[in-house]
Amino acid sequence: IYRPMRGDVLINELVSDPADREDEWIELTNTTQRKLDLSGWSIEDGVGTRVMLSETLDATSDNRYMVITAANGFLDNPGDRVILRSSDGTIIDEATYGNWDDGDVRDNAAVAIDPFSLARVGNTYYSRDDFRITATPTKGASNKITDKKPHDDESAPTIIISELVPHPSSLDPAHEFIELHNQNNIPVNLG
């Protein structure tokens, strides 16, 4: 069994906001043609909550995916960082989404709210470019990116301009403003 390195195993898909009575899950994929030993590896979130791995990850098309479920949930819905570490602590892959501040929220992937998932579409190691929200979660299988229609989910984030003052009576440009209103009950990343 081969000991994998960066790029051999990727965070492939995740659900941080599962449907009622469902579990969060993170899916890994084997990008090599070898069976990979993940003994001592871990998945952790942005605050360091860790799930230890002890399995091997096969290379066959049917078994190249590993799904880690978190029955008690540890990923934050509005944003978090998911880190895959090897047994020696090396970061093998990571995905940052939503409003999680890892130093630059501009490169974060979007937030996938129930019933959607965040799925990998590339492997450049930049969350914003690598992940897309999909209306078709594919737990344990190859990703399928499908767009939702606007009427599909009434709880989709809605930001409106609620007030606008382009020319204040004081004529002082410092008093100009645009007010945005989040019509959701969760934070929305404006990046």
Side-chain angles (χ1 to χ4, degrees):
I1 294 176
Y2 171 76
R3 294 294 282 182
M5 60 180 134
R6 187 170 177 90
D8 290 347
V9 181
L10 295 174
I11 298 166
N12 194 52
E13 189 174 5
L14 64 93
V15 170
S16 62
D17 183 16
D20 293 342
R21 295 181 295 278
E22 296 289 327
D23 294 330
E24 292 178 353
W25 52 271
I26 300 165
E27 178 187 78
L28 305 179
T29 186
N30 180 348
T31 64
T32 73
Q33 298 301 313
R34 301 175 175 177
K35 184 181 261 189
L36 303 176
D37 180 8
L38 302 185
S39 300
W41 284 44
S42 64
I43 289 279
E44 65 183 63
D45 69 356
V47 296
T49 303
R50 193 175 278 184
V51 174
M52 297 304 295
L53 306 177
S54 60
E55 301 89 18
T56 57
L57 188 52
D58 211 341
T60 63
S61 60
D62 292 341
N63 297 318
R64 73 173 44 252
Y65 302 98
M66 175 187 294
V67 177
I68 298 99
T69 58
N72 296 328
F74 72 101
L75 298 176
D76 289 339
N77 293 353
D80 210 333
R81 183 175 180 205
V82 180
I83 304 165
L84 174 64
R85 290 188 187 272
S86 66
S87 57
D88 67 2
T90 301
I91 294 177
I92 300 298
D93 193 22
E94 59 187 298
T96 307
Y97 63 90
N99 65 2
W100 185 262
D101 189 358
D102 62 350
D104 187 1
V105 296
R106 295 173 299 168
D107 67 354
N108 290 0
V111 173
I113 58 175
D114 173 24
F116 305 102
S117 70
L118 195 58
R120 183 177 286 273
V121 293
N123 61 1
T124 60
Y125 301 108
Y126 295 101
S127 295
R128 181 188 62 213
D129 298 330
D130 271 2
F131 289 91
R132 297 284 182 271
I133 294 173
T134 181
T136 310
T138 55
K139 187 177 185 178
S142 180
N143 293 343
K144 181 177 180 183
I145 307 299
T146 55
D147 293 327
K148 62 181 178 140
K149 295 179 180 94
H151 65 277
D152 285 350
D153 182 16
E154 297 302 322
S155 67
T158 304
I159 305 295
I160 62 167
I161 297 173
S162 57
E163 189 174 354
L164 174 69
V165 177
H167 301 289
S169 59
S170 68
L171 300 177
D172 183 352
H175 293 125
E176 294 178 357
F177 69 89
I178 299 172
E179 180 181 274
L180 302 178
H181 176 69
N182 179 357
Q183 294 185 312
N184 310 287
N185 61 359
I186 60 170
V188 174
N189 181 357
L190 296 177

